[in-house]
Amino acid sequence: MEKISVKDARDESSIGSTFLMQGWVRTRRDSKAGFSFIEINDGSSQGNIQIIAEAALENYESEVRQLTAGCSISVEGEIKESGGRGQKTEMLAHKICIHGWADPENYPLQKKRHSMEKLREWAHLRPRTNTFGAVARVRNCICNSIHQFYQEQGFLYINTPVITASDCEGAGEMFQVTTMNLDELAKQKIENLNYRFDFFDKPSYLTVSGQLEAETYACALGKVYTFGPTFRAENSNTSRHLAEFWMIEPEVAFADLNDNMDLAEKFLKRIFSDALSKCSEDLEFFNERIDESKSLIERLTTIVDSEFVRLPYTEAVEILVKADVKFDYAVEWGIDLQSEHERYLTEQHFKKPVILFDYPKTIKPFYMYCNDDDKTVRAMDVLVPGVGEIIGGSQREHRLDVLESRMKDQDLDINEYWWYTDLRKYGTVPHAGFGLGLERAVQFVTSMSNIRDVIPFPRTPGNAEF
């Protein structure tokens, strides 16, 4: 028998046909007239479908009337037009098979509201809730949109190393990878490790970015993008930080900062537009149940339809200094702007996305192109209402002498980056790129308040469960 998903079964075009449908029970209620209503969901859509189970079913008394939330079942039956409020279709069951029972005494996801914090303790079960099912579908849509966008633009998808000896950001907040026995080393009280005995023969780490490696391919193949896991050992417990997260990093040869800004704007509009058109039911859910202002859909639509403001950092500081607002962090030229500053620019001053560019070089990494004023670099941050920064990028420094000078200023060992400087020795070209954190994007599109709730299994300080 042909299978049908709950999503397709809820469509009126399925009425009159007989299908096999499978899923998990959300609720069951019995009628005094001698039949039961069973709501099931299979993860394909936000809404459930109602199964009508009549008493004539062979296992009605022995099994169907024992069904509780969490049980898994297969149903053979006919899709019919529903007279119930809020649903177009329902299924009249001809046969119901139970695959797995869920003890109602111990099944955590009973029909009541659980806090997001509590649901993190059940990360293996929380995808069965309305909220996390919707998050998973939106995340999937965004991932698909990302690949489609870059493939259509002629980019090549490349895989950069998860293990690296290079610190792209120069911040030192990296997870070290080693095969050495740390317990034995501690017992021996060894002060100076000899990495000759380690697997990679040198200190090695989980990557914080695939950018440097992506540059090598961009400088050979023109346009590339990476999309993979990255790691940062930052001891932060805020709602905006994860130790493991996914990054999308495009790199383009023969490109400058303006090209970079054009690409970033087009990219964001594409993934937001796809989410609006392909996840409309889930976004309605987030708009009504999660977003406090109930303006999520309006916010996304406005971004898709607007022209992003492009504003030099220096002018942004001038606007913030003159603003009739008391910020928690004082504003002056040279600081790294805080979220409250970024949100003021996007939500109150311009009321649309803003791309800030030409930041002070003292607050940016070594690889960003130095402007002629020797004070700023061709960096950019894309700011959106409700979040602040969502994309960070720059034109890369392609001049060997300037790059080496910047590396020395930041106390980096140039010899460790020999392959990176080689790109500037052999056929160097202007090139540019940026990074978008997938979880930041999903958080923005869903209006979820904590980034731990937009990744299946969050990794945070003190937590590597599941």
Side-chain angles (χ1 to χ4, degrees):
M1 181 175 291
E2 183 182 355
K3 290 184 180 181
I4 191 171
S5 67
V6 169
K7 179 181 180 181
D8 290 338
R10 293 172 62 214
D11 189 277
E12 291 172 294
S13 63
S14 64
I15 291 174
S17 299
T18 300
F19 295 102
L20 170 66
M21 189 160 49
Q22 300 168 315
W24 290 266
V25 174
R26 290 292 179 87
T27 63
R28 189 205 85 240
R29 57 188 176 90
D30 302 321
S31 168
K32 293 179 180 178
F35 56 89
S36 297
F37 297 106
I38 306 166
E39 296 267 346
I40 71 167
N41 191 287
D42 63 355
S44 61
S45 71
Q46 178 63 233
N48 308 323
I49 192 165
Q50 179 172 273
I51 307 297
I52 301 173
E54 296 179 328
L57 290 172
E58 182 180 354
N59 59 343
Y60 181 73
E61 289 293 339
S62 62
E63 293 185 322
V64 173
R65 291 197 65 186
Q66 314 308 315
L67 289 172
T68 57
C71 294
S72 55
I73 65 174
S74 290
V75 186
E76 294 179 15
E78 181 182 355
I79 306 296
K80 292 182 170 292
E81 184 177 357
S82 176
R85 187 175 63 181
Q87 59 187 29
K88 298 176 181 178
T89 63
E90 59 191 16
M91 175 180 269
L92 176 62
H94 298 163
K95 181 180 179 181
I96 296 179
C97 174
I98 290 82
H99 298 286
W101 297 95
D103 181 1
E105 295 294 322
N106 297 308
Y107 184 57
L109 301 179
Q110 298 301 321
K111 194 176 180 182
K112 65 176 183 178
R113 292 185 70 89
H114 298 285
S115 69
M116 297 298 176
E117 291 79 7
K118 192 65 180 175
L119 287 171
R120 282 179 217 132
E121 297 177 14
W122 306 322
H124 60 307
L125 296 175
R126 69 178 184 171
R128 302 187 188 188
T129 66
N130 289 334
T131 299
F132 289 93
V135 168
R137 286 186 292 272
V138 170
R139 183 182 174 108
N140 172 72
C141 175
I142 290 175
C143 290
N144 186 48
S145 179
I146 288 165
H147 282 296
Q148 285 189 347
F149 173 80
Y150 286 112
Q151 293 295 321
E152 291 167 7
Q153 296 289 322
F155 282 70
L156 294 178
Y157 173 43
I158 65 165
N159 306 114
T160 51
V162 171
I163 298 174
T164 180
S166 303
D167 182 358
C168 178
E169 300 300 324
E173 297 168 332
M174 304 176 75
F175 289 102
Q176 189 162 357
V177 176
T178 181
T179 56
M180 291 190 286
N181 189 317
L182 300 184
D183 289 335
E184 286 299 317
L185 293 175
K187 290 176 184 177
Q188 297 174 33
K189 297 181 180 180
I190 295 176
E191 295 182 3
N192 297 311
L193 294 178
N194 187 342
Y195 283 96
R196 182 168 58 86
F197 300 105
D198 206 358
F199 189 90
F200 292 109
D201 201 29
K202 64 174 63 175
S204 302
Y205 310 90
L206 296 180
T207 184
V208 298
S209 169
Q211 177 205 312
L212 302 188
E213 293 86 353
E215 286 187 51
T216 68
Y217 271 75
C219 290
L221 303 173
K223 298 192 292 187
V224 302
Y225 72 103
T226 75
F227 189 177
T230 52
F231 310 83
R232 190 182 297 276
E234 183 177 4
N235 190 14
S236 174
N237 279 296
T238 76
S239 62
R240 289 169 55 84
H241 290 89
L242 289 167
E244 176 184 279
F245 49 98
W246 286 65
M247 288 287 291
I248 302 94
E249 296 175 290
E251 287 288 331
V252 184
F254 303 100
D256 61 17
L257 187 63
N258 288 322
D259 299 319
N260 215 28
M261 291 190 283
D262 290 343
L263 181 65
E265 180 173 347
K266 187 185 297 184
F267 174 46
L268 284 181
K269 287 181 176 180
R270 171 61 180 273
I271 61 176
F272 295 161
S273 177
D274 282 354
L276 285 165
S277 63
K278 298 177 182 179
C279 296
S280 57
E281 186 179 38
D282 290 319
L283 291 190
E284 286 284 356
F285 170 83
F286 289 119
N287 195 77
E288 295 302 315
R289 300 288 188 89
I290 302 297
D291 188 69
E292 293 182 359
S293 66
K294 300 190 185 302
S295 60
L296 170 64
I297 293 176
E298 179 185 354
R299 194 159 60 243
L300 291 173
T301 303
T302 298
I303 291 175
V304 171
D305 294 339
S306 68
E307 293 296 323
F308 290 15
V309 173
R310 300 188 182 186
L311 185 73
Y313 167 92
T314 300
E315 291 184 26
V317 169
E318 292 172 357
I319 291 172
L320 293 167
V321 168
K322 295 175 182 177
D324 188 20
V325 175
K326 183 173 177 59
F327 296 114
D328 292 334
Y329 295 89
V331 180
E332 62 179 14
W333 198 94
I335 70 162
D336 200 358
L337 298 182
Q338 301 295 313
S339 179
E340 60 175 339
H341 307 138
E342 297 169 343
R343 294 187 63 175
Y344 171 81
L345 292 170
T346 58
E347 296 171 27
Q348 298 184 50
H349 190 81
F350 291 107
K351 294 183 171 54
K352 60 169 61 176
V354 177
I355 305 180
L356 295 186
F357 63 93
D358 286 354
Y359 279 80
K361 72 174 186 178
T362 54
I363 61 173
K364 291 296 182 181
F366 68 94
Y367 52 75
M368 296 187 175
Y369 187 97
C370 283
N371 287 315
D372 292 340
D373 60 13
D374 201 32
K375 294 181 180 179
T376 61
V377 291
R378 290 184 189 170
M380 69 167 198
D381 285 339
V382 182
L383 317 179
V384 293
V387 172
E389 179 196 344
I390 195 169
I391 279 179
S394 70
Q395 181 176 330
R396 315 311 189 189
E397 183 57 75
H398 66 279
R399 299 165 296 183
L400 178 61
D401 57 335
V402 180
L403 177 64
E404 290 183 338
S405 176
R406 290 276 286 146
M407 296 173 77
K408 289 176 183 176
D409 289 343
Q410 297 190 17
D411 296 323
L412 296 176
D413 185 351
I414 295 176
N415 293 326
E416 290 292 324
Y417 294 85
W418 64 270
W419 54 274
Y420 190 68
T421 56
D422 265 7
L423 298 179
R424 279 71 182 169
K425 295 177 182 177
Y426 311 125
T428 188
V429 294
H431 56 288
F434 59 78
L436 169 72
L438 174 62
E439 286 72 30
R440 289 279 178 90
V442 177
Q443 192 178 7
F444 181 72
V445 171
T446 60
S447 208
M448 295 291 285
S449 60
N450 197 310
I451 201 166
R452 302 177 192 196
D453 297 325
V454 296
I455 190 170
F457 301 101
R459 297 291 181 253
T460 53
N463 178 39
E465 196 68 55
F466 304 103

